[in-house]
Amino acid sequence: MSFTGKYQLQSHENFETFMKALGLPDEQIQKGKDIKSISEIVQDGKKFKITVTTGSKVLHNEFTVGEECEMEMLTGEKVKAIVQLEGDNRLVANLKGLKSVTELNGDTITNTMTMGDLTYKRISKRI
């Protein structure tokens, strides 16, 4: 199953609490909470390029499944991570105490981020 495509945010749960815990400033949280971000994914075998555009903020990460890479977090901090593919539709990464699980089901991508006992979930549809 290929992740390649453009996806628009449909809904998210626990955004403000999670972003505060990450250390994002209140002003940035307020700006970002109502923006329908666009995620563009290009998959070439085990190589991925992911670009998430939220208003004027663009987050760009590239990685190869199973290999260490540098990823930019929502705060702008760069951290080392290894992304694993579970089955053919689930990407799992651990980034400095934050676990990210991205699951593709048909035209819907569900991204769940967990940090301690806090969980943030975003659901995006292919456009």
Side-chain angles (χ1 to χ4, degrees):
M1 186 180 293
S2 176
F3 283 80
T4 297
K6 272 191 177 183
Y7 303 86
Q8 183 171 30
L9 179 68
Q10 298 297 306
S11 64
H12 50 153
E13 301 164 15
N14 214 14
F15 176 79
E16 290 182 61
T17 308
F18 195 84
M19 296 305 148
K20 262 187 192 156
L22 272 181
L24 261 67
D26 285 342
E27 181 185 315
Q28 200 174 335
I29 293 169
Q30 291 308 311
K31 273 186 194 169
K33 73 176 184 172
D34 296 321
I35 296 175
K36 297 286 187 199
S37 65
I38 302 283
S39 301
E40 186 168 2
I41 302 173
V42 177
Q43 179 183 359
D44 180 11
K46 291 185 166 197
K47 292 184 183 204
F48 284 79
K49 290 180 186 176
I50 300 178
T51 306
V52 181
T53 306
T54 308
S56 61
K57 183 161 175 45
V58 178
L59 191 67
H60 182 77
N61 284 309
E62 290 186 32
F63 61 88
T64 300
V65 170
E67 294 180 15
E68 187 176 70
C69 63
E70 189 175 78
M71 300 195 71
E72 186 179 347
M73 296 187 55
L74 297 167
T75 56
E77 181 183 0
K78 299 211 186 262
V79 296
K80 298 268 185 221
I82 296 175
V83 181
Q84 299 293 354
L85 183 63
E86 293 180 355
D88 64 352
N89 71 329
R90 196 176 159 116
L91 294 167
V92 180
N94 288 295
L95 313 155
K96 199 180 166 192
L98 179 134
K99 182 177 182 180
S100 173
V101 178
T102 303
E103 194 166 347
L104 175 64
N105 288 305
D107 285 337
T108 303
I109 279 193
T110 304
N111 177 234
T112 307
M113 289 186 262
T114 311
M115 188 172 57
D117 57 359
L118 275 179
T119 299
Y120 167 54
K121 188 176 187 178
R122 26 182 303 131
I123 297 169
S124 301
K125 290 242 188 257
R126 194 182 297 263
I127 51 173

